[in-house]
Amino acid sequence: MFSVEIETWVALGAAVATALSALFIGWQAWETRRSAESSNKAATASEAALEVANASLELNRRQAGQSAFMVAEATRARLETNAPAVSMEFVDGENCQPSAFIIGKQSDPESFESREPGHVFQLPQDAELWLYALFDVKFHNDGPLPVTIWSGSTIIPTYDGFPWDTTFRLDKGESLVRFLAVGTSLVGWTESRDDKAKPRGEAGWLTELSGDSGVRLTQAIHIDGTLLGNGQREGDFSLRGLGPDANWPSHLVKDQAKRTYWLGGQEIPALAPDDVFGAAGLGVMQ
């Protein structure tokens, strides 16, 4: 009988221990879940705070960018009051043919001589020579003030040699006629036959600033294609000229004149609204 009572108490103790263990495990699970929920709430709050901070930062960037853009625009508008208004036109129209061709060493301007279409060049013997097509152009100053033009591509219209006229002045309302030399090295002309990504014949001009602030005009002119045709022997290239060709067509291209703005000797970046705000995916504030 005593043995039965002991077994009963042992069984009862085991049941109580099991119940307590279950309660403890349940309490632990509840505490773990509550801790996880608290952590999730804290993480959610942190994410929300971060989003608010990022939104505030983006707003500040937008406002700063807009302010910088407005200041730059106001400065450009002020500089435009005395901006040059120079135009360059081809005397014979945009589809004109060259008046002449000249050949010589770029390092020796006095070495340039005229050449007629059909003249044959031999490479590599003539590799140091540069070939230019000359076009009659007229510069005109419609601006309110005199302007000085610099160009490494203009020649005084004379047939007594080919003196380069790199700098000349235009008074208000004045026009000047010059030869514009559009060209590159003979090697460059031959490369443009085989690889259209290579540089072609190029020329250009720009207006000089009267001080360290103002507006500068720049214009580029180039020839797409080549002035050279095949010769009879390997390494021979004949001066073909400008125009259509079954294998290597060429034509004259005049880019639009570009405007740059300068203040205190420093160029003002030509930023558009998308350049200021686009990096952050922002639009211009209304």
Side-chain angles (χ1 to χ4, degrees):
M1 177 123 180
F2 182 74
S3 174
V4 172
E5 291 180 355
I6 292 176
E7 291 178 358
T8 300
W9 282 109
V10 169
L12 181 61
V16 171
T18 300
L20 291 176
S21 177
L23 289 173
F24 180 75
I25 292 173
W27 176 78
Q28 280 189 321
W30 179 79
E31 284 291 336
T32 300
R33 184 169 60 254
R34 188 178 67 169
S35 177
E37 290 176 352
S38 298
S39 298
N40 289 336
K41 290 180 180 179
T44 301
S46 297
E47 291 177 359
L50 182 60
E51 290 178 359
V52 171
N54 287 336
S56 177
L57 179 60
E58 289 178 0
L59 179 60
N60 290 335
R61 288 176 177 173
R62 177 186 294 187
Q63 291 173 335
Q66 185 183 32
S67 298
F69 179 76
M70 293 177 64
V71 170
E73 286 298 292
T75 303
R76 292 189 187 95
R78 187 171 69 253
L79 294 174
E80 278 288 350
T81 58
N82 291 317
V86 176
S87 61
M88 188 219 74
E89 301 295 336
F90 293 98
V91 174
D92 297 330
E94 297 297 323
N95 297 319
C96 62
Q97 287 293 314
S99 300
F101 301 94
I102 60 173
I103 190 80
K105 295 182 179 180
Q106 189 188 38
S107 59
D108 183 11
E110 295 183 359
S111 69
F112 281 88
E113 300 176 347
S114 63
R115 290 290 185 268
E116 297 295 327
H119 180 86
V120 176
F121 303 102
Q122 172 54 231
L123 293 177
Q125 287 90 323
D126 296 332
E128 294 183 4
L129 299 180
W130 283 58
L131 172 63
Y132 293 90
L134 302 187
F135 298 90
D136 294 70
V137 296
K138 180 174 71 173
F139 292 90
H140 183 72
N141 180 14
D142 276 325
L145 299 172
V147 64
T148 298
I149 295 176
W150 181 92
S151 172
S153 309
T154 50
I155 295 175
I156 297 175
T158 173
Y159 293 96
D160 183 18
F162 300 95
W164 297 87
D165 188 26
T166 56
T167 305
F168 51 93
R169 180 182 173 88
L170 284 176
D171 292 326
K172 178 181 178 181
E174 184 182 7
S175 297
L176 285 176
V177 175
R178 292 289 185 269
F179 280 158
L180 186 72
V182 187
T184 185
S185 66
L186 283 178
V187 174
W189 286 120
T190 60
E191 288 177 342
S192 66
R193 291 160 50 92
D194 303 323
D195 185 353
K196 292 186 177 182
K198 294 287 185 181
R200 282 79 164 176
E202 298 176 335
W205 60 272
L206 58 82
T207 58
E208 293 187 348
L209 300 176
S210 58
D212 60 1
S213 301
V215 180
R216 168 172 287 161
L217 299 181
T218 305
Q219 189 170 37
I221 302 93
H222 55 97
I223 292 175
D224 278 354
T226 182
L227 298 178
L228 301 179
N230 285 329
Q232 295 182 349
R233 301 175 303 171
E234 184 178 355
D236 284 357
F237 298 92
S238 62
L239 177 54
R240 176 176 62 86
L242 187 69
D245 184 276
N247 296 314
W248 300 287
S250 58
H251 59 280
L252 185 66
V253 179
K254 183 178 74 170
D255 295 344
Q256 291 290 331
K258 296 180 180 180
R259 310 173 78 80
T260 54
Y261 299 83
W262 298 76
L263 185 65
Q266 300 292 323
E267 182 179 355
I268 302 174
L271 295 178
D274 288 345
D275 296 324
V276 177
F277 311 114
L282 304 173
V284 179
M285 290 186 65
Q286 303 295 326

